[in-house]
Amino acid sequence: MRGLVFLHAFPYNPGMWEGELRHFRGRLPVLAPHYLGLSLPQAAEKVLKEMDEAGMEEAVFVGLSMGGYLIFELWRRAPERFLGFVLADTRAGPDTEEAKRNRHALRERVLREGVGFLPEVLLPSHLGRTTQAERPEVVARAKELILQASPEAVAESLKALAERPDSTPLLPGMRRPALVLVGEEDTLTPPEEAKRLARALPEARALILPEAGHLANLENPKAFRTALLGFLAETF
């Protein structure tokens, strides 16, 4: 059986894919594993186990931000399970030393204070300027998703993100149909980064989604799903 696997961003959960799950269920088998708090190797094993339990031999993997990092880990372990993949608002390279220090500092604060402060720290960079100015319901939903996370899970994922390997050397060998999506207003993994990522992959193209930041599927769901539908039509 072939299917579609959605991989969520940090510090969110599969609820961020609620709209996509509604949209694509009934069209094809769909999974959205929850792996906040796991290392990337642990998360990859969980995804593969859930695929096995569902009888899903191959899939198109759709990963946003941390979900993109998980796609690279899955490729290391099981490239034969890939029909294709979508890398949304993500990068192949590791954290800089400064980014690592920031993640570890945030980890310590989360363990001390909990997650109540996280939305004010994260959302200004996770959401584009259009969303922040014009879509209060999207801001509220993103905040709600962040506050659902446990401090322990957030802390462990911050450690995993800081320690993730450089996946750039994998790119030339990832010979599957690929789509790189990025919000036009994404400041964390900006459009130029997405274009470089697409150029390094053998079978990829990049699409820039208007009026969206780092959480492109929540901010411009119509554009995100339209791009994904077109890619799936070519891939399945």
Side-chain angles (χ1 to χ4, degrees):
M1 183 175 74
R2 297 174 160 191
L4 184 59
V5 177
F6 288 98
L7 304 172
H8 63 79
F10 168 86
Y12 302 93
N13 62 58
M16 69 171 285
W17 297 115
E18 184 179 28
E20 283 71 32
L21 294 175
R22 277 200 310 268
H23 192 76
F24 288 98
R25 264 195 192 118
R27 300 170 187 252
L28 70 169
V30 175
L31 288 176
H34 192 321
Y35 49 85
L36 191 72
L38 302 180
S39 69
L40 290 174
Q42 289 169 335
E45 289 303 318
K46 183 175 185 189
V47 171
L48 294 171
K49 182 181 179 186
E50 290 193 21
M51 288 177 68
D52 290 342
E53 290 170 349
M56 190 182 292
E57 295 163 4
E58 297 175 294
V60 169
F61 296 89
V62 182
L64 193 146
S65 193
M66 179 173 69
Y69 307 152
L70 182 50
I71 282 178
F72 297 129
E73 187 63 32
L74 284 160
W75 180 267
R76 288 185 180 94
R77 290 164 182 270
E80 72 280 359
R81 308 295 290 266
F82 279 70
L83 285 172
F85 56 96
V86 179
L87 294 166
D89 301 280
T90 193
R91 58 165 50 93
D95 271 359
T96 63
E97 289 306 312
E98 180 184 6
K100 287 180 183 179
R101 286 194 296 271
N102 290 341
R103 288 201 203 272
H104 286 300
L106 187 60
R107 180 176 186 272
E108 293 304 315
R109 186 176 173 192
V110 166
L111 289 172
R112 284 196 313 269
E113 300 179 28
V115 298
F117 73 93
L118 270 183
E120 68 183 80
V121 171
L122 297 179
L123 290 182
S125 59
H126 282 194
L127 299 173
R129 60 182 180 275
T130 301
T131 298
Q132 294 183 57
E134 301 176 12
R135 301 184 188 117
E137 74 286 355
V138 177
V139 178
R141 178 59 177 150
K143 179 178 180 180
E144 177 187 29
L145 287 166
I146 291 173
L147 294 177
Q148 289 172 0
S150 78
E152 295 76 19
V154 170
E156 288 307 305
S157 283
L158 281 164
K159 182 180 177 185
L161 292 173
E163 295 174 353
R164 75 183 189 277
D166 184 2
S167 296
T168 309
L170 295 178
L171 300 178
M174 295 182 75
R175 296 188 174 278
R176 296 289 191 282
L179 177 63
V180 179
L181 297 177
V182 65
E184 178 184 32
E185 301 170 8
D186 188 346
T187 57
L188 286 178
T189 50
E192 284 307 313
E193 179 116 34
K195 292 175 187 175
R196 284 196 297 273
L197 184 55
R199 285 195 296 268
L201 290 161
E203 301 178 36
R205 68 177 185 273
L207 286 177
I208 299 172
L209 306 180
E211 297 187 348
H214 194 61
L215 298 180
N217 74 303
L218 291 175
E219 298 182 71
N220 194 337
K222 183 177 180 181
F224 192 96
R225 290 171 206 162
T226 299
L228 184 51
L229 274 170
F231 179 70
L232 293 174
E234 297 169 6
T235 308
F236 274 88

